[in-house]
Amino acid sequence: MATVVGLAFLFLFMFPISSHVRALSSNYYDHTCPHLESTVASAVKKAISNDKTVPAALLRMHFHDCFIRIRRTRSLFQHNLHYAFVLIIRAAMLRCCFGDALVYISLHAFYVIDEAKKALEASCPGIVSCADVLALAARDAVALSGGPTWDVPKGRKDGRISLATETRQLPAPTFNISQLQQNFAQRGLSIEDLVALSGGHTLGFSHCSSFQNRIHNFNATLDVDPTMQPSFAARLRSVCPAHNKIKSAGSPLDSTNLVFDNAYYKLLLQGKSIFSSDQALLTTPKTKALVSKFASSQKAFEKAFVDSMIKMSSLTGGQEIRLDCRVVR
């Protein structure tokens, strides 16, 4: 799940991971907003019926939402992970599009969260956070694309600020394996989480800007990344020429980009990955073994993906329930 290079570690409100994770519960809204899940699912289904790219957008949005404004802090007595959460919906994300964050060109479908939140405010006002709506929407997006479903731990609160500069905390499409491992470790996520969550690239599309480093002027002696399968690289070069001026040009992230499956891993082993960060997963024995495991077993991938999604989505904190997810204070 790709973006700009760099890490910015700014935070406002901090919560110990142990106490916050315990506060989340799959039945958190059972009595206060019993129709929450069906309401969100209805909004997601309606959107997908009109736009097949919605699942990838929702999944990517949730990933970015969880990663932004998380940092490691040092306690006087022990090491803990603390989190400050910010939900960036529409206003902040659109602002990012005009700044450093190339990835936000690919993010859309904010309206799905808007529609779900509007319906929830009509039936149970001031109860459900935008963060929980997004977590549920991402789960439903995966399930409605043929992937697994799972119980989403709920009870998150929304953050109070949103800064375009904080997108620099996200893993970039050009990251090598060391940078990826560091980026994930700083959020309490393991190497297996890294490889499993990268499988989210089974859904979606990338613009040329995120992978042009692999197909043009790769280094001082080679124009194309030699790890890429030649005919695959040639196809990408034809779609994304060196001086491409078509902003919408790009490539699906895998050959079945509207279906949640393990094709991403199979193609990665064939030299048909899109991002440098994808190829990086083959550069250490442990990550390569996990890629091979998930390529050979859809079941193993789905289990690891679900476990990692639950773990990642628990790494949030906040102080309020936003009534309008578009409002950035």
Side-chain angles (χ1 to χ4, degrees), residues 132-155:
D132 279 339
V133 173
L134 182 51
L136 288 166
R139 186 273 312 274
D140 292 340
V142 169
L144 291 168
S145 299
T149 189
W150 61 92
D151 288 331
V152 174
K154 296 175 284 292

Side-chain angles (χ1 to χ4, degrees), residues 1 14 27 29 42 48 95 127 141 144 219 225 231 255 308:
M1 303 171 186
M14 298 191 302
N27 58 5
Y29 297 107
S42 178
I48 293 175
R95 185 172 71 240
I127 298 296
L144 291 168
N219 60 29
D225 183 343
S231 62
S255 58
S308 295

Side-chain angles (χ1 to χ4, degrees), residues 149-203:
T149 189
W150 61 92
D151 288 331
V152 174
K154 296 175 284 292
R156 300 163 189 77
K157 296 295 188 290
D158 296 325
R160 291 180 172 177
I161 66 173
S162 176
L163 302 174
T165 55
E166 289 175 337
T167 60
R168 295 173 183 171
Q169 297 180 34
L170 293 161
T174 54
F175 271 10
N176 61 35
I177 194 62
S178 296
Q179 292 170 311
L180 289 169
Q181 288 176 324
Q182 180 184 35
N183 190 274
F184 275 66
Q186 286 167 335
R187 291 151 175 80
L189 298 172
S190 68
I191 289 176
E192 179 158 313
D193 295 323
L194 162 61
V195 180
L197 291 171
S198 294
H201 286 169
T202 185
L203 296 176

Side-chain angles (χ1 to χ4, degrees), residues 52-71:
K52 300 303 181 184
T53 70
V54 162
L58 292 174
L59 182 57
R60 205 85 70 240
M61 201 188 308
H62 180 50
F63 177 83
H64 295 167
D65 189 40
C66 291
F67 261 55
I68 288 175
R69 294 182 59 77
I70 300 173
R71 68 167 288 171

